[in-house]
Amino acid sequence: MSSRRPDPLAQVSDFDIRLLRIFRSVVESGGFSAAETVLGIGRSAISQQMSDLEQRLGLRLCQRGRAGFSLTEEGREVYQSALQLLSALETFRTEVNGLHQHLRGELIIGLTDNLVTLPHMRITHALAQLKERGPDVQIQIRMIAPNEVEQGVLDGRLHVGVVPQASALSGLEYQPLYSERSLLYCAVGHPLFYVDDRQLDDERLNSQDAIAPTFRLPAEIQAHYQALNCTASASDREGMAFLILTGRYIGYLPDHYASLWVQQGRLRALKAGSRFYDLSLASVTRKGRRPHLVLESFLDSLAATR
């Protein structure tokens, strides 16, 4: 009779869950050193616990050394499975806590950068109401590129996100939140900074070095960038601002975000009456998600703060 090798994880213990949480933090931080601050423990302790996890699973999860940190193929699969497990555990904890009608647990939000300067402040007000209702709720905000926000909501790393509304991705639900106006800007030092708008025809504007975003936008907004001579790109609005402020590029920025630099005399809008677009921002959640009392409370507050 052939003997069968026992499964490495016949049972999942609290110790295994702790190791998987550490593994998740290491992966999302991009390595052991970067995870030290997040986890509050030293690199040697992180390395030992990663070795414990690899031994427990019987798998090599990552490569580390002078070449840097990278996941093995098995490590990538374990990471995805760990995300599902930890998300399920958090959902379970939130649902059980909800039976006591007192909000506990965590809310992980992914935000497109530079929304805090919007005058509406709906996200801020909704977070304040959530914290008032559930003082023990732990809130995590992650400022990441729009494409990563949507992917994070899809795979369960994020409970909710706020992104520019382009074409809807399958598996996600979008609820409109804001509309913001973006204008075409240049900075002091750029050849067009002191040129009167009446002298700026389309040919002159469209020949300047410009910046394009790499995140998804509606087709009608992409047309604004296609008309420009885009020789640089950025994954978010802050990256676009960095390049515009060099005085070497023109590019679109939300007017609420650019307003301080305009007041300081560092930025000016070019032909603001015609070179602009309005972009809708939306909250995004996963379709068919399991009940999550903290998330639902936040969404209710968000919908109420019109």
Side-chain angles (χ1 to χ4, degrees):
M1 180 182 295
S2 61
S3 60
R4 183 177 181 271
R5 182 182 175 185
D7 294 332
L9 282 183
Q11 294 182 338
V12 178
S13 66
D14 289 344
F15 179 65
D16 296 320
I17 292 171
R18 180 172 178 273
L19 294 179
L20 288 171
R21 291 187 189 278
I22 291 172
F23 177 51
R24 178 182 67 177
S25 294
V26 169
V27 174
E28 293 180 356
S29 299
F32 291 8
S33 297
E36 286 181 288
T37 302
V38 176
L39 294 171
I41 57 177
R43 182 175 179 176
S44 60
I46 295 173
S47 179
Q48 179 59 54
Q49 292 181 81
M50 287 292 294
S51 295
D52 290 343
L53 179 61
E54 289 178 328
Q55 185 175 7
R56 180 83 171 109
L57 296 176
L59 297 169
R60 182 72 169 173
L61 300 179
C62 61
Q63 305 290 343
R64 55 266 203 189
R66 292 183 178 179
F69 174 88
S70 63
L71 289 177
T72 63
E73 187 62 33
E74 293 79 8
R76 283 190 285 271
E77 294 185 17
V78 170
Y79 172 64
Q80 292 299 324
S81 296
L83 290 178
Q84 295 177 23
L85 172 62
L86 296 174
S87 176
L89 287 172
E90 180 56 36
T91 299
F92 173 79
R93 183 175 71 167
T94 302
E95 290 173 354
V96 171
N97 289 336
L99 297 176
H100 301 281
Q101 294 301 306
H102 183 68
L103 289 177
R104 297 186 183 90
E106 66 179 357
L107 181 70
I108 307 176
I109 310 171
L111 297 181
T112 299
D113 64 319
N114 300 307
L115 296 181
V116 73
T117 50
L118 274 163
H120 313 296
M121 299 294 285
R122 287 181 60 187
I123 297 172
T124 303
H125 294 323
L127 289 173
Q129 291 176 18
L130 176 66
K131 192 64 176 173
E132 181 178 358
R133 182 180 174 192
D136 297 328
V137 169
Q138 298 178 4
I139 298 171
Q140 294 185 38
I141 293 181
R142 300 181 182 175
M143 305 301 298
I144 47 182
N147 298 348
E148 295 178 43
V149 172
E150 290 174 310
Q151 187 56 49
V153 173
L154 275 172
D155 63 28
R157 285 179 290 134
L158 302 173
H159 295 123
V160 60
V162 177
V163 296
Q165 191 164 10
S167 56
L169 294 183
S170 176
L172 295 178
E173 293 180 344
Y174 298 81
Q175 293 297 326
L177 285 179
Y178 304 106
S179 178
E180 65 175 14
R181 174 156 293 189
S182 289
L183 303 177
L184 184 62
Y185 290 96
C186 72
V188 64
H190 192 278
L192 300 185
F193 190 79
Y194 294 108
V195 177
D196 189 277
D197 272 356
R198 289 170 293 185
Q199 300 176 21
L200 294 177
D201 56 29
D202 287 344
E203 182 178 358
R204 190 170 184 184
L205 279 176
N206 295 344
S207 66
Q208 304 296 315
D209 284 335
I211 308 156
T214 58
F215 50 86
R216 296 187 314 116
L217 289 169
E220 63 271 18
I221 291 178
Q222 290 177 11
H224 287 269
Y225 292 97
Q226 291 167 355
L228 298 175
N229 178 34
C230 292
T231 59
S233 63
S235 64
D236 50 51
R237 283 100 69 90
E238 185 169 359
M240 298 178 75
F242 266 110
L243 289 170
I244 294 170
L245 287 165
T246 65
R248 299 294 180 267
Y249 297 91
I250 63 173
Y252 286 95
L253 290 175
D255 56 4
H256 62 86
Y257 177 44
S259 63
L260 179 60
W261 290 308
V262 172
Q263 293 170 26
Q264 294 172 345
R266 299 180 62 190
L267 286 183
R268 66 158 288 199
L270 302 167
K271 304 197 75 169
S274 59
R275 290 295 184 119
F276 69 87
Y277 62 79
D278 295 319
L279 175 65
S280 294
L281 294 154
S283 65
V284 56
T285 52
R286 186 170 56 184
K287 288 181 180 178
R289 62 185 184 275
R290 295 183 63 189
H292 187 299
L293 193 59
V294 173
L295 173 58
E296 302 308 325
S297 179
F298 172 72
L299 293 175
D300 288 345
S301 297
L302 200 57
T305 54
R306 295 293 181 184

